[in-house]
Structure formats: structure tokens, C-alpha cells
Amino acid sequence: MSISHTLISQLVTLALDEDLNYQSAEQGDITAQLIPQAEQAHAKVITREDCIFCGKDLIIEVFKQVDPSVVVNICVNDGDFVCANSTLFTASGSARAILTAERTALNFVQTLSGTATTTAHYVKELSGTSTQLLDTRKAIPGLRALQKYAVKCGGGANHRIGLFDAFLIKENHIAACGGINNAVAQAKLNHADKPIEVEVESLHELEQAINAGADIIMLDNFNPEQIRQAVSITNKRAKLEVSGNMTLETLKAYSQAGVDFISSGALTKNLQSIDLSMRFE
């Protein structure tokens, strides 16, 4: 997925308003006001650790909104692997403006690069298998589109964007609908063009989901042996996804059981931001 410029502009405005108390950069940054207004500076931002970079358009938009006269040069592209101590971007112009924009720009980049980097580690563990890594809706509120973009930059794939583009019929949906068959049948009546995924917790429910005509079946908290049985039972009549407590250490075992997808909320919720630093030169 890509991110629209409109969304980027809105999110940057929100972030800057939070930092500046809905004031202009000149009025809202009382520390930057200590610096002479005419003072010029050149700064570079480095990463202190290896990472997959993500956030180029957000950097540009932050500096544009703070002071469009600041010249920003991005040295890498989204999705690039960057070694520790490498320069990510430089900024030249008003010292006040550069310092005002610094933290907002770095907050976006450290978060998105963290998501992309975590995803890349997971994807590496799945190399040599046919299993595709998926994200989930367990994202930071308001930043879902950005994080899902970062997952793509890290080599993963997006599960569903929201509640509108695909069915995910889980335990409580099944209970409220009166069973798997009822839930799937109603889904087909409501939106025949949308993919239907059903979460199951046993091999018995797996059979029900297959017979109901689910497109994808999520095996929730199955162990590798149960997954192998599920693959055999399904026999390609539906796509199979594994979810629940996926870790770097367990990914390979689950993928080798023969599932089509592994989804992990850890990509976007158990976030380890990348350590970045800005230096004036």
C-alpha cells in the first residue's frame, strides 16, 4: 500500500500542533527563540543502529510545514537497509526551524523504521518457505496506514486495512451469528465480493469453515503438529493462516508445516524504535 499525501499532511499537522500547542513554529517553540532569528545551520541525522529506513515523505512534509525554505536532502529511500552511523538526511537553513522540526521528523522515522526493521527480521526467518508474513490491525491508533506501509517496506504484506475491506469472522462473531455456517452464509449475502476469513480453534471448527466455503482459515494458537494435520485436512480447499504468539524463534517451525500465511501483531504493537541522532555541523 502507499500513503496519500493528504494523510501525510494531516498527520504531520497533528503532530506539530501537539508540539507547538496549535501555534506557529515561531511562537510555539520557546527554546528555539533563544537562537538569533537569522542564524543559519547545517544538520545531519544519523542512525545509531542498523535498520530498514522508512519515512522519507514525512521528513519532507515536517520541514515543509515548519519552514519551506529549509533545504532537506534525503540520502536513502524507503525500504533501504542502512548501516549504523550512516546519514539518513541533511537539513540546511534556519537553525530555529531545523530544531523545531527535529523531534517530530525523528519520531515518525524512528517509529516507522522500527516497524520496517522488525518486519525484515521476521521475513528473513521465513526465507526459503512459501509462507507470507502478514500484519494485523494491532497498530498505533491514527498511524495504522503509516505502519502498514512500513511493513511493506520491511518485506511483509498487509492483512486487511480495516473493518471494511475483508471479513474476519472470529469467536465472538461466530457465537453471535449462531455458528460458522450461518456467519459465512450471511457474509456471502452481504458482500459477495469481499474475501471471507474465519478464525478456528479446533480441527472440528476447521472442517466447518471449509464446508461453509471460507476463503481463508485462521488457525488460532495451533501447535505445529496440529497445523500439519490442518494442512492435510484442508488439502488446498482454502488458504491457511497461523496467528497467535508468533516469535522469531517459532516462525520457521510454523511455516514448515505448510501454511500460506503467518500473521503477527508484534510487527506493529511490540515496537522497538530505531535510535536516531541529529548533529549540527
Side-chain angles (χ1 to χ4, degrees), residues 126 129-133 217-219 222-224 226-232 234 236 238-243 246 250-263:
L126 293 176
T129 76
S130 60
T131 304
Q132 187 172 41
L133 180 69
I217 301 171
M218 179 188 292
L219 309 174
F222 278 43
N223 63 42
Q226 290 172 317
I227 292 170
R228 280 189 283 272
Q229 293 179 51
V231 170
S232 177
T234 305
K236 301 188 182 301
K239 298 286 188 181
L240 290 179
E241 174 185 338
V242 175
S243 182
M246 292 295 116
T250 62
L251 278 177
K252 184 84 71 172
Y254 283 105
S255 65
Q256 289 176 341
V259 296
D260 301 285
F261 309 109
I262 289 178
S263 59

Side-chain angles (χ1 to χ4, degrees), residues 19-158:
D19 231 7
L20 299 168
N21 194 31
Y22 299 90
Q23 302 174 86
S24 68
E26 284 293 323
Q27 296 171 320
D29 188 347
I30 61 174
T31 309
Q33 291 172 15
L34 303 175
I35 302 167
Q37 190 170 18
E39 185 72 19
Q40 299 289 294
H42 177 77
K44 70 175 182 180
V45 170
I46 66 166
T47 174
R48 294 186 178 276
E49 55 188 307
D50 294 352
C51 70
I52 303 296
F53 173 77
C54 184
K56 179 177 180 178
D57 289 345
L58 289 137
I59 295 168
I60 294 169
E61 183 65 21
V62 169
F63 280 91
K64 175 184 173 183
Q65 289 195 24
V66 171
D67 183 347
S69 71
V70 173
V71 177
V72 178
N73 179 37
I74 313 292
C75 304
V76 291
N77 291 311
D78 287 349
D80 285 353
F81 171 77
V82 186
C83 294
N85 299 312
S86 297
T87 300
L88 301 180
F89 69 93
T90 62
S92 301
S94 163
R96 285 188 178 186
I98 292 172
L99 289 169
T100 298
E102 173 191 3
R103 179 43 50 197
T104 297
L106 267 58
N107 281 349
F108 279 121
V109 174
Q110 71 186 22
T111 300
L112 300 184
S113 297
T115 297
T117 303
T118 297
T119 301
H121 291 321
Y122 277 60
V123 169
K124 184 178 179 180
E125 285 299 308
L126 293 176
S127 63
T129 76
S130 60
T131 304
Q132 187 172 41
L133 180 69
L134 304 177
D135 57 20
T136 73
R137 288 172 50 243
K138 295 176 181 177
I140 299 171
L143 297 185
R144 182 186 303 175
L146 299 186
Q147 285 193 285
K148 282 183 171 287
Y149 172 73
V151 166
K152 296 280 284 186
C153 289
N158 300 143

Side-chain angles (χ1 to χ4, degrees), residues 168-180 183 197-201 205 218 220-221:
L168 179 48
I169 302 170
K170 306 184 79 172
E171 177 185 9
N172 291 327
H173 299 100
I174 293 168
C177 288
I180 290 174
E197 180 166 2
V198 177
E199 180 185 74
V200 302
E201 298 179 343
E205 289 187 345
M218 179 188 292
D220 186 38
N221 290 311

